Amino acid sequence: MALLSDAEVRQYHALGYLVPSFRLSAQLVDSLRDALERLIRDNPGVRPEKLISAHLARSGGRANDEGVRGQADFLALAQNTQILDAVEQLIGPDIILWGCHVFCKPTGDGHETPWHQDGHYWPIRPLATCTVWVALDESVVENGCLRVIPRSHLARTSQPHLHEDRQDLVLQQRLPEESFDAATAVDLQLQPGQM
């Protein structure tokens, strides 16, 4: 079943991002919020922005290779048929889950995420991937929603990044300001269940 319209598919390929018109059910979002609470509770020594490989739940409550005690609910989210059907419309049927990162930013305590290219951190070759970012809470300008640079994917190259020696950043490398035009950035404001 096609979840994305032809116009949505064209927008994704032209601009490099898309907020689909469909969203996940409120019931699923509520269960994911519960899983997020368990994930945070089970990982007291991990910053909530750095819950890497959150989909890998080990038996006996052991941490995964990233030092995170994951939740199977996040693997189930990555296997959600609506999400997979939409991704297939965008990139085709050969889909591999290569990561699941929970970016949870607590009010008044969240760390900044500098401008970066995902391909710089996850050197997938060829540089062709699709990230699905699912909102469990309202994500708006006032609380630091995701921002993207339209069409920055078209060159299919990874720009050099600068190292930042700051502990208040989610990622320690950033794009130099002269390598992109921040004035063209788009704020992706999402309601729970949107992606």
Side-chain angles (χ1 to χ4, degrees), residues 40 153 183 188:
I40 291 170
H153 69 297
L188 299 184

Side-chain angles (χ1 to χ4, degrees), residues 47 49-50 103-106 108-116 121 143-144 164 166-175 177:
R47 284 287 313 174
E49 302 93 337
K50 297 191 177 197
F103 284 93
C104 180
K105 296 187 177 185
D109 183 43
H111 286 186
E112 174 187 346
T113 304
W115 282 110
H116 67 281
Y121 282 90
N143 67 10
E164 290 282 351
R166 291 174 41 195
Q167 297 306 308
D168 63 337
L169 296 175
V170 174
L171 304 171
Q172 268 39 71
Q173 296 184 53
R174 68 169 175 86
L175 279 170
E177 292 177 18

Side-chain angles (χ1 to χ4, degrees), residues 23 43 47 82 106-107 132 165 189:
R23 69 170 63 180
N43 293 282
R47 284 287 313 174
Q82 285 186 305
T107 304
V132 178
D165 193 22
Q189 299 191 82

Side-chain angles (χ1 to χ4, degrees), residues 107-171:
T107 304
D109 183 43
H111 286 186
E112 174 187 346
T113 304
W115 282 110
H116 67 281
Q117 290 177 295
D118 285 352
H120 182 77
Y121 282 90
W122 301 283
I124 295 169
R125 299 297 179 260
L127 193 58
T129 187
C130 176
T131 299
V132 178
W133 192 96
V134 178
L136 299 185
D137 293 309
E138 182 181 63
S139 180
V140 294
V141 171
E142 292 77 18
N143 67 10
C145 65
L146 178 66
R147 303 182 80 208
V148 298
I149 305 291
R151 299 177 185 82
S152 59
H153 69 297
L154 295 176
R156 291 187 183 258
T157 60
S158 181
Q159 302 293 326
H161 285 54
L162 302 174
H163 179 75
E164 290 282 351
D165 193 22
R166 291 174 41 195
Q167 297 306 308
D168 63 337
L169 296 175
V170 174
L171 304 171

Side-chain angles (χ1 to χ4, degrees), residues 30-88:
D30 287 344
S31 71
L32 288 166
R33 281 190 189 123
D34 291 342
L36 177 60
E37 287 179 22
R38 290 191 308 274
L39 184 68
I40 291 170
R41 183 195 66 227
D42 291 348
N43 293 282
V46 180
R47 284 287 313 174
E49 302 93 337
K50 297 191 177 197
L51 294 165
I52 299 168
S53 298
H55 66 298
L56 297 178
R58 296 285 173 97
S59 63
R62 293 182 302 128
N64 61 39
D65 293 341
E66 302 292 341
V68 172
R69 288 180 180 85
Q71 291 289 319
D73 300 73
F74 292 106
L75 179 57
L77 175 64
Q79 296 171 328
N80 179 285
T81 56
Q82 285 186 305
I83 294 173
L84 290 175
D85 288 349
V87 170
E88 182 175 351

